[in-house]
Amino acid sequence: MSRDQRRIVRELVDTHGQTYADEAGIRLKDTPQPLYRLLVLAHLLSARISASIALATARALNEAGLRDPRRMADAAWQERVDALGRGGYRRYDERTATQLGEAAGLLTERWGGDLRRLREEADGEVSEVRRLLQEFPGVGPTGADIFLREAQLVWPEAAPYLDRKALQGAERLSLPGDPDRLLGLAGTTEPAVLAAALVRAAVDKDVSRDTLDRVG
């Protein structure tokens, strides 16, 4: 059974192992702008809206120049609404425009626009990072989990971070629900890549079906 499970994980990662940051065009590094863009992406993805729309909206905000907290906070509310609309994020555009402005203001005022300072305040404690992230308007537990799933690629103390949504993907593929066993099956795969692939299986039945069909 473990051999079949390894094949499932390999097929899943090989075919669907793109991080959401990468798909949104964010070249994730431990520097202020990519980390901020990841925070915005986590905010967008945490709403009850399709991932494809959230990703398109993250790209639209970037194209509008709203890629750092100072620019986001200084932008007119209507400018944020319009950028959200161009990405297709219309159901939540007005509320989200307000939240993005408020969150950018908080990040600028409290942490100088640099999420690494939030990380320093947490003194490397992942649970405290998760708590602090939820102080941003619009970022709840789900948004904090999304951020940490992706940020573990550049914040090693967060790894391995396989949250409840990733474990739901494992269940759908009849894989172990224990993170350590999943990591063992994944071998040298980056935990962030594994987590993204598992989440894709959790939110898209076609991903899990395609993966299992490939294994046969």
Side-chain angles (χ1 to χ4, degrees), residues 157-185:
E157 73 276 11
Y161 200 91
L162 299 179
D163 67 330
R164 183 172 59 181
K165 183 61 71 174
L167 296 181
Q168 286 175 1
E171 181 180 6
R172 178 167 282 181
L173 292 163
S174 299
L175 294 170
D178 177 68
D180 288 337
R181 290 183 64 193
L182 286 169
L183 291 162
L185 293 169

Side-chain angles (χ1 to χ4, degrees), residues 36 65-75 104-105 107-109 112-113:
Y36 175 68
L66 306 178
R67 61 180 68 95
D68 66 74
R70 195 169 299 278
R71 179 71 181 84
M72 183 71 81
D74 289 346
L107 179 56
T108 300
E109 293 164 13

Side-chain angles (χ1 to χ4, degrees), residues 3-104:
R3 182 181 299 174
D4 289 343
Q5 289 177 335
R6 285 192 180 89
R7 288 182 60 203
I8 290 170
V9 172
R10 185 172 64 248
E11 289 292 345
L12 176 69
V13 169
D14 286 349
T15 310
H16 303 286
Q18 183 182 28
T19 65
Y20 286 91
D22 183 60
E23 188 174 354
I26 302 170
R27 297 183 64 180
L28 196 56
K29 297 186 290 185
D30 188 24
T31 54
Q33 190 177 107
L35 290 171
Y36 175 68
R37 289 182 63 196
L38 176 60
L39 179 67
V40 171
L41 177 62
H43 181 164
L44 298 173
L45 283 168
S46 64
R48 293 188 176 183
I49 202 163
S50 73
S52 61
I53 291 176
L55 289 159
T57 302
R59 291 190 289 267
L61 289 167
N62 182 61
E63 290 164 4
L66 306 178
R67 61 180 68 95
D68 66 74
R70 195 169 299 278
R71 179 71 181 84
M72 183 71 81
D74 289 346
W77 177 81
Q78 190 62 51
E79 185 179 353
R80 294 193 294 268
V81 169
D82 291 344
L84 290 164
R86 286 194 294 274
Y89 210 83
R90 295 185 181 88
R91 183 177 174 188
Y92 304 103
D93 55 354
E94 295 188 356
R95 183 182 67 181
T96 302
T98 299
Q99 291 173 337
L100 287 173
E102 292 174 348

